[in-house]
Amino acid sequence: MVSTAIKQDSARLGTATGAFAKKFLFDVVGMKSSSWGGTQYATSWSSTLGDMARVGNLIIHQGVWSGKRVLDAGWTYKMTHPAFEDGNTAYGYLTWLVAKEGQRSIGGGSFTSNGSSAGGLLADNCSPSAIWQKYPHGLSEAPDCTYKSSPCAQKYDVGSWSAQGLGGQFIVGHPGLDLVLVAKNYS
C-alpha cells in the first residue's frame, strides 16, 4: 500500500518505503537509529530500544508527538482495540491486546484460564482489556462486547496492548498508567 502511494506521488512522498518512513515517522519523532527496508513490517524494521520506545509513546498518545498529529487517531485506536471481536478479541491492527475471553494465540489455539498460551502470547489478567465501547465494523455481527463471563463495562478505555516482533522484540503499552515497556531479544 505504501509503495503504491509512493509511485503515485513520489515528489512528495519520496522514492522508496525506507525514505517515506524516515521522512514521515523517524525524523518527526527523533528516531536516529532506525531503518525500514519496506519489504515486511515484522522483519525489515531495524531499531534500538530507544526508538522502539518512541513508537510506543506515539501509539499510547493516540498518534500525537510533541503536540503534533503524526498518525491518524482512528488508526491508532484500531491498533489498540479488537479488529474483529467475533474472530479474536486479542488482536488489533498489528498489535496484540489484553483480552479476557475470545482470544487466540499465534498458532490459533485458545488461551488457558490464567491467560497463558502455548502459542507464546502473554495475556495479563491484571491489565485492563481492550474493549470497544461501540463496535464499529460493518462486516462484523459481533455485539459491542462478546465476553460472557467477564464484565464488559470498564470505567476508562485503557486496554493494554503489545507489538511483538521476530526474535523477541516487544513494545508494550499500558495507557492507564501512561507506560511503555520495550525489550529486544526477549526469550
Side-chain angles (χ1 to χ4, degrees), residues 126-150:
C126 295
S127 294
S129 295
I131 301 172
W132 286 96
Q133 297 302 316
K134 183 173 188 315
Y135 206 62
H137 297 96
L139 298 174
S140 175
E141 298 293 325
D144 292 346
C145 179
T146 58
Y147 293 177
K148 291 173 180 53
S149 61
S150 299

Side-chain angles (χ1 to χ4, degrees), residues 12-89:
R12 184 172 66 88
L13 301 177
T15 57
T17 53
F20 174 85
K22 183 174 180 349
K23 180 178 181 179
F24 291 99
L25 177 63
F26 299 164
D27 289 349
V28 174
V29 301
M31 296 169 64
K32 306 278 186 221
S33 303
S34 287
S35 63
W36 181 43
T39 55
Q40 297 176 344
Y41 293 109
T43 60
S44 64
W45 175 37
S46 176
S47 188
T48 61
L49 286 169
D51 283 358
M52 290 168 63
R54 289 176 181 275
V55 170
N57 274 305
L58 183 64
I59 296 169
I60 209 167
H61 294 113
Q62 296 92 38
V64 174
W65 186 268
S66 295
K68 179 183 175 187
R69 168 107 6 237
V70 177
L71 299 174
D72 180 74
W75 178 261
T76 56
Y77 196 81
K78 289 176 182 176
M79 288 180 74
T80 58
H81 290 76
F84 291 98
E85 276 196 11
D86 53 356
N88 186 355
T89 59

Side-chain angles (χ1 to χ4, degrees), residues 8 16 25 53 82 88 92 104 111 118 174 185:
Q8 294 173 358
L25 177 63
N88 186 355
R104 301 282 179 259
F111 286 86
H174 195 309
N185 305 319

Side-chain angles (χ1 to χ4, degrees), residues 96-120:
W96 291 101
L97 312 171
V98 170
K100 305 301 183 207
E101 294 178 18
Q103 66 267 45
R104 301 282 179 259
S105 71
I106 292 170
S110 295
F111 286 86
T112 64
S113 60
N114 71 358
S116 64
S117 157

